């Protein structure tokens, strides 16, 4: 299964149908990673806050209580900030590598199909398995496991993505005698639905 401009009937568009914009997805990946990393660190800080509350209960001095609370808040802020930054960098790098490799394969092969998605997922997961900390044996195991898991996860997701792209663009044909621009996206889908209902 492959999605090309010709198979979808899209004329005059420089990009192949279904190609995801690299920069946009990288930015989304960074923000999603920041949100995940920050929330993970914030939930992990609950047990540390309980320890601080126990110390506060056993300290009668108000100045000492204030100092303990200030220190706890500073440490929590630093932990959540560091978790957000690390999570954003990790997911952003993964997203950038995955979509960059997928778009590069689509450009070199001249077609955007499921094999680009599977190869990009497998290569990206294998690369991240290689840079994980540990011994050489552990890293090689992570490379093989990441390669298989990346391909296994990306195959159904890539297939679903390409099917949705085909479905969204199936009405975007331009008749030879009528040089009207093909509309895509929500506006085009609404117009196609209106045309079908009026028949």
């Amino acid at each position: 299964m492959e999605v090309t401009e010709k198979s979808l009937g899209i004329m005059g568009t420089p990009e192949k149908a279904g190609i995801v914009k690299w920069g946009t997805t990288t930015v989304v990946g960074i923000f999603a990673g920041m949100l995940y990393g920050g929330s993970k660190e914030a939930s992990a800080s609950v047990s540390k806050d309980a320890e601080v509350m126990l110390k506060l209960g056993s300290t009668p001095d108000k100045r000492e209580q204030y100092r303990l609370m200030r220190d706890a808040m500073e440490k929590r802020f630093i932990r959540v900030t560091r978790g957000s930054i690390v999570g954003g960098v990790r997911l952003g790098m993964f997203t950038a590598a995955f979509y960059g490799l997928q778009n590069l394969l689509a450009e070199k092969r001249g077609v955007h199909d499921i094999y680009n998605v599977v190869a990009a997922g497998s290569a990206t997961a294998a690369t991240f398995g290689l840079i994980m900390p540990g011994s050489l044996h552990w890293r090689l195991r992570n490379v093989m496991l990441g390669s298989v898991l990346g391909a296994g996860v990306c195959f159904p997701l890539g297939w679903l993505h390409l099917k949705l792209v085909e479905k969204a663009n199936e009405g975007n044909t331009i008749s030879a005698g009528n040089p009207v621009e093909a509309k895509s996206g929500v506006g085009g889908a609404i117009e196609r639905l209106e045309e079908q209902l009026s028949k």
Side-chain angles (χ1 to χ4, degrees):
M1 177 181 57
E2 57 188 42
V3 179
T4 61
E5 293 174 14
K6 190 174 180 181
S7 66
L8 295 174
I10 300 173
M11 307 287 184
T13 53
E15 295 180 350
K16 290 178 178 51
I19 296 288
V20 181
K21 297 203 180 302
W22 177 84
T24 307
T25 54
T26 301
V27 170
V28 169
I30 289 170
F31 282 114
M34 290 177 72
L35 183 63
Y36 173 73
S39 61
K40 183 178 162 189
E41 286 297 328
S43 64
S45 298
V46 173
S47 61
K48 293 183 175 22
D49 290 345
E51 292 174 13
V52 171
M53 294 307 285
L54 287 173
K55 285 182 184 176
L56 283 176
S58 63
T59 306
D61 186 15
K62 294 288 184 188
R63 288 184 181 176
E64 184 66 17
Q65 287 179 356
Y66 175 75
R67 189 188 66 75
L68 286 172
M69 283 294 290
R70 188 188 66 216
D71 288 348
M73 294 299 284
E74 286 175 358
K75 288 177 182 174
R76 183 176 187 172
F77 177 77
I78 290 169
R79 277 194 310 268
V80 170
T81 304
R82 185 178 62 228
S84 294
I85 292 170
V86 169
V89 167
R90 284 180 180 167
L91 193 57
M93 283 174 34
F94 186 86
T95 307
F98 174 73
Y99 283 107
L101 186 56
Q102 181 182 333
N103 291 350
L104 179 69
L105 288 171
E107 185 70 29
K108 293 294 181 189
R109 294 179 64 226
V111 63
H112 179 59
D113 60 5
I114 197 165
Y115 300 115
N116 296 341
V117 179
V118 171
S122 179
T124 305
T127 303
F128 274 81
L130 184 64
I131 62 175
M132 301 254 317
S135 65
L136 182 62
H137 176 71
W138 183 256
R139 289 181 183 187
L140 291 176
R141 178 188 167 276
N142 286 342
V143 167
M144 291 190 321
L145 189 62
S147 178
V148 171
L149 280 176
V153 168
C154 287
F155 184 81
L157 292 178
W159 180 82
L160 181 64
H161 170 72
L162 292 174
K163 279 294 184 186
L164 289 172
V165 168
E166 284 179 0
K167 189 74 172 164
N169 289 318
E170 68 184 9
N172 286 347
T173 57
I174 303 174
S175 60
N178 189 10
V180 180
E181 287 187 20
K183 294 197 175 180
S184 61
V186 177
I190 291 172
E191 286 188 10
R192 288 192 300 274
L193 184 62
E194 288 174 350
E195 288 173 9
Q196 288 177 357
L197 291 175
S198 65
K199 289 179 183 177

